[in-house]
Amino acid sequence: MLNIRPLDRLVRALKRLPGVGPRQAERFAAYFLRASQGEVDEFITALSEVKNSVVLCPKCFAYSEGGLCEICQDASRDESQICVVEDPQDIEAIEKTGAYKGLYHVLHGAISPMEGRGAEHVKVRELLARVQQASPKIKEIILATDPDSEGETTALYLADLLHGQVEQVTRIGYGVPLGGDIDYMDEMTLGYSLKGRTKI
Amino acid sequence: MLNIRPLDRLVRALKRLPGVGPRQAERFAAYFLRASQGEVDEFITALSEVKNSVVLCPKCFAYSEGGLCEICQDASRDESQICVVEDPQDIEAIEKTGAYKGLYHVLHGAISPMEGRGAEHVKVRELLARVQQASPKIKEIILATDPDSEGETTALYLADLLHGQVEQVTRIGYGVPLGGDIDYMDEMTLGYSLKGRTKI
């Protein structure tokens, strides 16, 4: 920005944030320039601390402050269920529903043949080992990967792989989202919501 | 995020970036967690360096690496023209046009009676002092504040204030943007574009 090298470097670093383009990166840089030294120091401390103290849970690969994550440590959770998600943030979304009391497994991505990302790039091997070593046995694996093409591919791959290893492998239900508008819904979703209709 | 305190602190700091909501802040935090230590260090270095080495030009208040900024130092620029902008980033946008060879003055904001921001909150006093002390005299001041209500208020205020101090005070032209679609244009803009029509 304006031939000021330190500023250019910062803008370049900010552009690496997911979904951030050149204009937004410049606006972020301008924010940091305007911010007080205290605010910037606070930010740097928070960032360093995250890199130093946040690790992946060795069991489910969610974020943890060292050792097993909170959920894996929680004896009240149902150990016979594993919900498989793509990203650690997905856990928070599912936890907010209050509808699930089992454990998780974070893949850290999805299989994407288009982008050359195979099963070896996500934590599939770790999931299989976990299922095979589990005692007591895992009863259900819920596949909660995203309902997009990569998430679907991953779910199908895992369903195939886990077949026979656990009592049942399930996939989260498709249908119309609450607050959605039927006539704005794509036909695939609407088709699934009809197939998955329930008695009231 | 997920009851991990360092992560919560980072998400909170990231939410302060302009236009960033909770979801995007979480996505940014996840990016930093995935990023290599080297990338994060590079980011922290760039940020610290910007805070340490980038200052405001004492003449025009654009960013500078110390002392006068590059444009104020450039003897080939026309010193009789000052283009007044709200933010330092605006300078870059105008420079890219190649249509302007004068100097700049950055207000660092706009007057906003609604938000209780008066002329004393932006660099208006400094502009007036600069105009009065200029030798040779300033011939033209171009008001290039944003074409929104705050920018308009600021332009009108400055036009009034600078009346008689310089040969002419001008405002950037309003009209339809190139690539725009006439039938999507608001009536104010279209009205201005008709009033400001030119012979071809």
Side-chain angles (χ1 to χ4, degrees):
Chain A
M1 190 150 65
L2 297 169
N3 284 331
I4 297 179
R5 251 174 316 144
L7 212 47
D8 281 337
R9 262 196 296 270
L10 180 60
V11 169
R12 226 169 22 240
L14 286 164
K15 264 195 288 197
R16 284 197 216 115
L17 290 169
V20 171
R23 309 300 292 194
Q24 207 181 5
E26 283 181 13
R27 238 169 262 142
F28 288 172
Y31 158 79
F32 283 120
L33 272 164
R34 273 197 318 273
S36 69
Q37 187 64 50
E39 274 180 298
V40 172
D41 289 343
E42 205 182 303
F43 180 80
I44 290 178
T45 310
L47 185 51
S48 310
E49 218 173 77
V50 157
K51 285 307 271 188
N52 289 332
S53 70
V54 180
V55 295
L56 295 185
C57 168
K59 188 169 172 184
C60 76
F61 303 98
Y63 299 135
S64 147
E65 281 188 87
L68 289 181
C69 72
E70 227 177 41
I71 292 174
C72 284
Q73 276 185 52
D74 184 348
S76 75
R77 310 281 307 204
D78 182 353
E79 285 189 35
S80 71
Q81 284 184 314
I82 294 180
C83 178
V84 179
V85 295
E86 291 182 21
D87 300 303
Q89 300 100 287
D90 298 336
I91 296 180
E92 208 183 7
I94 295 176
E95 285 297 291
K96 274 188 193 146
T97 67
Y100 181 68
K101 291 291 164 211
L103 302 181
Y104 290 93
H105 187 90
V106 184
L107 295 173
H108 287 273
I111 295 172
S112 171
M114 294 280 285
E115 291 178 33
R117 232 177 314 120
E120 69 281 10
H121 291 94
V122 295
K123 306 225 175 270
V124 164
R125 201 163 28 99
E126 292 82 350
L127 174 62
L128 197 60
R130 187 175 162 193
V131 168
Q132 288 167 343
Q133 288 156 18
S135 156
K137 284 268 170 238
I138 308 292
K139 287 194 186 129
E140 180 179 7
I141 291 190
I142 302 170
L143 301 171
T145 50
D146 288 342
D148 55 16
S149 69
E150 299 184 355
E152 288 303 319
T153 306
T154 309
L156 288 175
Y157 176 85
L158 288 178
D160 203 42
L161 187 76
L162 296 166
H163 184 77
Q165 305 271 352
V166 291
E167 270 177 42
Q168 57 179 343
V169 182
T170 57
R171 176 81 173 116
I172 46 164
Y174 307 108
V176 290
L178 295 187
D181 208 330
I182 296 279
D183 60 343
Y184 276 83
M185 215 53 63
D186 66 289
E187 58 261 53
M188 286 282 281
T189 303
L190 208 52
Y192 275 118
S193 90
L194 285 169
K195 266 192 256 171
R197 66 191 181 277
T198 54
K199 270 193 179 162
I200 55 164
Chain B
M1 191 149 68
L2 298 171
N3 283 331
I4 297 180
R5 253 172 316 142
L7 211 48
D8 281 336
R9 262 197 295 272
L10 179 61
V11 169
R12 225 165 28 237
L14 285 163
K15 266 196 286 196
R16 287 199 212 110
L17 290 168
V20 172
R23 306 301 290 198
Q24 208 180 6
E26 282 181 14
R27 238 169 263 143
F28 289 171
Y31 159 79
F32 283 120
L33 271 165
R34 272 197 316 273
S36 69
Q37 187 64 48
E39 273 180 299
V40 172
D41 288 343
E42 205 182 303
F43 180 81
I44 290 178
T45 311
L47 184 52
S48 309
E49 217 173 77
V50 157
K51 286 307 272 187
N52 289 332
S53 70
V54 179
V55 296
L56 296 185
C57 168
K59 189 170 172 183
C60 76
F61 302 99
Y63 298 134
S64 146
E65 281 190 85
L68 289 181
C69 71
E70 226 176 41
I71 293 174
C72 283
Q73 276 185 52
D74 183 348
S76 75
R77 309 281 308 203
D78 182 352
E79 286 191 32
S80 72
Q81 284 185 314
I82 294 179
C83 178
V84 179
V85 294
E86 291 182 20
D87 300 304
Q89 300 100 286
D90 299 335
I91 295 180
E92 206 182 9
I94 295 175
E95 285 296 292
K96 274 190 192 146
T97 67
Y100 181 68
K101 292 291 164 210
L103 302 180
Y104 290 93
H105 187 91
V106 184
L107 294 173
H108 286 273
I111 296 172
S112 171
M114 294 280 284
E115 292 179 31
R117 233 179 312 119
E120 69 280 10
H121 291 94
V122 294
K123 309 231 175 266
V124 163
R125 203 163 27 97
E126 291 82 350
L127 174 63
L128 197 61
R130 186 174 164 195
V131 168
Q132 287 166 344
Q133 288 156 17
S135 158
K137 284 269 172 235
I138 308 293
K139 287 194 187 128
E140 180 181 6
I141 291 190
I142 303 169
L143 301 171
T145 50
D146 288 341
D148 56 16
S149 69
E150 299 184 355
E152 289 303 320
T153 306
T154 309
L156 288 174
Y157 176 86
L158 289 177
D160 202 42
L161 186 77
L162 296 165
H163 184 77
Q165 306 270 353
V166 289
E167 271 177 41
Q168 56 179 346
V169 181
T170 56
R171 176 80 174 118
I172 47 164
Y174 307 107
V176 290
L178 296 187
D181 206 329
I182 296 281
D183 60 344
Y184 276 85
M185 215 50 64
D186 66 290
E187 58 262 54
M188 287 281 282
T189 303
L190 208 52
Y192 275 118
S193 90
L194 285 167
K195 266 193 256 170
R197 66 190 180 280
T198 55
K199 270 195 179 158
I200 54 165

